[in-house]
Amino acid sequence: MFNPDPITKPVNTKLPKAIITMIEKNNLVMAIKTLAADENISMDEAKVRIDAYETKLKIEQQQKLSTIANKQGIPNQAISFDREQDIEEDSGPLVKNRVKSTKSEQGFKSLQAGVDSQLNDLGYKKPLLPYWLKRVLVIAIIMLGVFWILWRVFG
């Protein structure tokens, strides 16, 4: 008969390699159809098995990411596994000249702030002129010198 709660029965998460490859490539419909055809089970049972495998895979990935972050000294609050909820928008009063930044800009700003704090912790001091500006200045001075020499010779 129909089981309204498929979670109550034990699920075998062991899947064939071809199905695992389809899941990793995000071809879930084909994986469900192939699993159902190969093992002569219903599409619902195949979906439950694939969903169980996906959740197991996500949990393993989160655990690996957490261990890597802990080894690098990153706090657990800084890691967000759900990218949709990581930034909360504040709906303050509207200001005419204020431009609201997008999520990617806020992410870059937080990354930049994190890098700056790490460099400050290491005692690194930023140079007065960036490296690229020094290089541009050297090239400009050399070009001015060459043009001055050419002007004196042919002028």
Side-chain angles (χ1 to χ4, degrees):
M1 301 258 349
F2 176 70
N3 186 1
D5 191 15
I7 298 173
T8 57
K9 65 180 180 178
V11 177
N12 181 14
T13 57
K14 185 74 174 167
L15 297 173
K17 289 192 182 280
I19 305 296
I20 292 173
T21 305
M22 288 181 207
I23 293 171
E24 289 173 354
K25 291 183 179 180
N26 263 350
N27 196 351
L28 298 177
V29 175
M30 193 65 184
I32 291 171
K33 287 181 180 179
T34 306
L35 183 64
D38 287 350
E39 297 189 2
N40 292 329
I41 57 175
S42 70
M43 295 275 231
D44 291 331
E45 291 176 19
K47 183 183 181 311
V48 168
R49 285 184 59 190
I50 289 176
D51 287 343
Y53 177 78
E54 277 186 318
T55 54
K56 178 183 149 190
L57 191 63
K58 284 182 183 178
I59 289 171
E60 288 174 358
Q61 288 174 346
Q62 289 174 357
Q63 288 173 347
K64 286 179 185 177
L65 187 61
S66 295
T67 55
I68 291 170
N70 288 338
K71 286 180 183 177
Q72 292 180 351
I74 300 171
N76 288 335
Q77 297 87 349
I79 301 173
S80 175
F81 297 113
D82 187 12
R83 288 292 166 199
E84 298 299 322
Q85 299 176 358
D86 64 346
I87 299 175
E88 298 174 0
E89 295 287 332
D90 59 336
S91 58
L94 294 177
V95 179
K96 185 176 181 181
N97 294 333
R98 189 176 115 193
V99 177
K100 210 173 209 184
S101 61
T102 62
K103 288 184 178 185
S104 63
E105 290 174 358
Q106 289 174 349
F108 179 72
K109 287 179 184 175
S110 66
L111 175 67
Q112 197 171 23
V115 169
D116 287 342
S117 67
Q118 287 285 335
L119 291 176
N120 288 339
D121 292 343
L122 293 173
Y124 177 78
K125 294 183 182 180
K126 291 184 179 178
L128 187 61
L129 293 175
Y131 183 73
W132 64 270
L133 187 59
K134 289 178 188 175
R135 190 165 276 207
V136 168
L137 285 174
V138 167
I139 292 171
I141 290 171
I142 290 172
M143 287 177 62
L144 283 174
V146 169
F147 288 136
W148 183 77
I149 291 171
L150 290 173
W151 180 68
R152 295 295 280 171
V153 170
F154 296 110

